[in-house]
């Protein structure tokens, strides 16, 4: 039996030429990364100086219009540019072409000033895919550590109230951030109420021995706390539903109220409907507690 084998032609180029071609590709890629580093520096400065605020919603929207980037890619460029402003080692590595933009983009998702040097070593040692996997694992660890830190802070909450030697009562506490924000806003509201009551009282109604100087901020805080306690005892404690702690304020342009309301369709039982308006005519903002 005769077996015919195909005639393979030699397709391998000389090794020296291929090595030279590979070196040229690597060198040009390093130059592109260095140019990208310069581009990110410019984007960061342009964003910080609000050069995009000429009718565009964000710096990413301006980049999408001016440079032709996809909006998602533009957002990533702005994010990386901002992050590199506080990560000098990664920024220098990108400028020198030691790290590719793909690696830097991944590392900036988790890098901090404390972890930057370790992550820089990871970026130099592995491929872009390897760096992406490490960053995903790092983020999982960060989320778990954040959950543990949140639980630890919650367990450390405390409030101590005790009498001092001279009869004054000392209040010392440690509150969760959201609870502290509620307390601070309540104290600010109570201070404002006390101040308004004070300025609306005629001067001749004050006792002759009343101090004329304005209370210090610490004294105002103490008076505000007293007002909060008295108000709570007088009106009772009713925290309400969690949703009631938020308030949505709708701002309506004055011309909207002058527009005649048209009758609703037969399928509607509401009596009237608002005329259709452009999205910019109705603006809703979330108010704090």
């Amino acid at each position: 039996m005769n077996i015919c084998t195909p005639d393979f032609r030699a397709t391998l180029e000389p090794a020296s030429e291929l090595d030279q071609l590979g070196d040229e590709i690597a060198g040009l890629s390093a130059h592109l990364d260095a140019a990208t580093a310069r581009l990110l520096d410019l984007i960061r400065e342009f964003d910080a100086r609000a050069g995009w605020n000429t009718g565009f919603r964000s710096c990413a929207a301006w980049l999408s219009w001016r440079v032709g980037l996809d909006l998602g890619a533009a957002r990533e460029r702005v994010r990386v540019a901002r992050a590199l402003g506080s990560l000098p080692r990664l920024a220098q590595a990108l400028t020198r072409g030691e790290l590719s933009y793909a690696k830097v983009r991944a590392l900036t998702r988790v890098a901090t000033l404390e972890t930057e040097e370790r992550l820089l070593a990871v970026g130099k040692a592995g491929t872009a895919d390897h760096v992406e996997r490490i960053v995903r694992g790092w983020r999982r660890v960060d989320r778990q550590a954040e959950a543990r830190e949140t639980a630890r802070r919650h367990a450390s909450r405390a409030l101590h109230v005790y009498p001092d030697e001279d009869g004054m009562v000392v209040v010392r506490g440690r509150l969760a951030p959201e609870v502290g924000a509620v307390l601070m806003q309540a104290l600010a509201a109570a201070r404002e109420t006390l101040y308004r009551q004070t300025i609306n009282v005629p001067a001749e109604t004050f006792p002759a021995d009343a101090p004329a100087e304005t209370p210090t901020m610490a004294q105002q805080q103490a008076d505000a706390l007293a007002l909060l306690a008295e108000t709570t005892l007088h009106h009772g404690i009713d925290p309400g539903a969690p949703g009631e702690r938020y308030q949505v304020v709708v701002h309506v342009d004055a011309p909207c109220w002058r527009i005649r309301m048209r009758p609703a369709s037969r399928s509607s039982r509401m009596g009237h409907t608002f005329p259709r308006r452009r999205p910019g005519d109705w603006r809703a903002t979330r108010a704090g507690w």
Side-chain angles (χ1 to χ4, degrees):
M1 178 187 296
N2 294 328
I3 301 177
C4 297
T5 58
D7 184 15
F8 291 104
R9 295 182 179 181
T11 58
L12 295 179
E13 298 289 341
S16 59
E17 295 182 7
L18 292 178
D19 289 342
Q20 184 179 358
L21 185 61
D23 292 340
E24 187 174 354
I25 292 173
L28 183 58
S29 297
H31 283 295
L32 290 175
D33 290 329
T36 301
R38 175 58 180 161
L39 175 63
L40 293 175
D41 289 340
L42 296 176
I43 291 174
R44 181 170 60 254
E45 182 179 358
F46 188 77
D47 181 41
R49 298 172 64 178
W52 51 267
N53 192 14
T54 55
F56 294 90
R57 298 176 59 184
S58 64
C59 186
W62 182 89
L63 280 174
S64 179
W65 166 77
R66 185 65 185 270
V67 185
L69 289 175
D70 173 75
L71 189 57
R75 291 194 187 101
E76 272 294 279
R77 291 289 178 95
V78 175
R79 181 194 65 80
V80 176
R82 290 173 178 172
L84 289 180
S86 58
L87 299 171
R89 292 185 178 88
L90 290 179
Q92 291 173 5
L94 181 63
T95 301
R96 292 193 294 261
E98 298 173 357
L99 288 183
S100 66
Y101 172 72
K103 291 182 180 181
V104 171
R105 180 183 59 190
L107 292 174
T108 51
R109 297 192 187 107
V110 295
T112 63
L113 199 58
E114 293 76 18
T115 62
E116 181 186 17
E117 188 171 358
R118 287 161 45 190
L119 289 172
L120 176 60
V122 170
K124 291 180 178 180
T127 63
D129 183 65
H130 178 240
V131 171
E132 284 281 358
R133 289 200 303 269
I134 289 180
V135 167
R136 286 196 295 268
W138 195 293
R139 296 181 74 176
R140 283 196 299 270
V141 172
D142 281 349
R143 286 194 294 267
Q144 294 171 358
E146 183 179 359
R148 289 193 297 268
E149 177 63 18
T150 301
R152 186 196 65 79
R153 288 192 305 180
H154 182 70
S156 67
R157 69 193 187 283
L159 183 66
H160 305 278
V161 182
Y162 54 90
D164 205 355
E165 297 177 354
D166 59 354
M168 298 288 284
V169 176
V170 179
V171 180
R172 181 172 60 87
R174 178 181 173 85
L175 305 176
E178 59 275 10
V179 178
V182 174
L183 177 61
M184 292 170 65
Q185 189 159 351
L187 290 172
R191 287 201 317 270
E192 184 179 359
T193 301
L194 289 172
Y195 176 74
R196 285 179 178 176
Q197 292 177 353
T198 302
I199 62 177
N200 291 331
V201 175
E204 58 270 13
T205 61
F206 284 98
D209 57 349
E213 64 274 6
T214 303
T216 64
M217 177 56 68
Q219 292 171 338
Q220 293 181 26
Q221 291 279 76
D223 296 338
L225 182 59
L227 178 60
L228 290 178
E230 293 173 359
T231 304
T232 301
L233 292 176
H234 180 68
H235 295 286
I237 300 176
D238 182 14
E244 296 176 356
R245 300 180 182 179
Y246 296 89
Q247 180 184 7
V248 176
V249 180
V250 179
H251 300 274
V252 183
D253 295 335
C256 294
W257 296 111
R258 294 196 293 267
I259 299 175
R260 292 185 58 185
M261 310 290 283
R262 67 180 178 217
S265 62
R266 292 183 178 180
S267 60
S268 174
R269 301 301 183 214
M270 299 304 293
H272 294 284
T273 58
F274 286 103
R276 181 171 297 179
R277 302 292 293 165
R278 297 188 303 274
D281 292 338
W282 300 87
R283 303 188 299 277
T285 59
R286 171 185 166 187
W289 280 294

